[in-house]
Amino acid sequence: MAAKTNPKYGLFGKLKAKPGKCDELIAILMESAGTDIRMPGCLQYLIGKDPDNEDIILISEVWESKEDHANSLKLESVRAAIAKAMPLLDGMPEKGIVWEVVGGLGLAS
């Protein structure tokens, strides 16, 4: 019999920074990550760079639930970070990929 899992809410995101603004945008996201990690329901918030495109930022998030993620977007600190980051983006963010996280290294199941 398979082990019972408690799926988590996962998101993969991709942002394109304006030319020369990638590091500044990453700094804003990293500052926000310090806040998000301590938020209820946030299990993982990873920020990375696309090695093939210096303007692309990749984000991986894992939350206890979709509701926890939605609630995070209502927080003043997150809203302020979004407002600060928007002028650095080259267009609107792409629609992210939602996934059901069932476990793995680094996450309690």
Side-chain angles (χ1 to χ4, degrees):
M1 177 180 256
K4 188 174 182 178
T5 61
N6 180 18
K8 311 293 185 218
Y9 181 73
L11 292 170
F12 288 122
K14 180 177 171 182
L15 302 175
K16 184 174 184 186
K18 289 181 178 174
K21 296 296 183 181
C22 188
D23 289 341
E24 190 176 344
L25 184 53
I26 287 173
I28 293 168
L29 295 171
M30 293 296 289
E31 183 179 324
S32 178
T35 300
D36 288 347
I37 289 299
R38 292 186 297 271
M39 287 190 311
C42 184
L43 302 174
Q44 187 178 69
Y45 186 85
L46 301 174
I47 301 161
K49 292 171 114 176
D50 183 333
D52 297 323
N53 186 328
E54 64 185 26
D55 297 324
I56 299 295
I57 299 167
L58 304 168
I59 302 167
S60 175
E61 303 176 50
V62 179
W63 296 83
E64 285 288 348
S65 69
K66 183 177 181 177
E67 292 75 24
D68 285 329
H69 176 259
N71 288 336
S72 76
L73 298 175
K74 297 174 187 173
L75 294 173
E76 187 57 40
S77 61
V78 174
R79 294 173 66 82
I82 291 169
K84 198 173 173 182
M86 289 301 286
L88 304 178
L89 295 177
D90 187 2
M92 291 300 293
E94 291 185 21
K95 183 177 185 231
I97 298 171
V98 175
W99 57 302
E100 188 175 277
V101 182
V102 295
L105 182 62
L107 293 176
S109 56

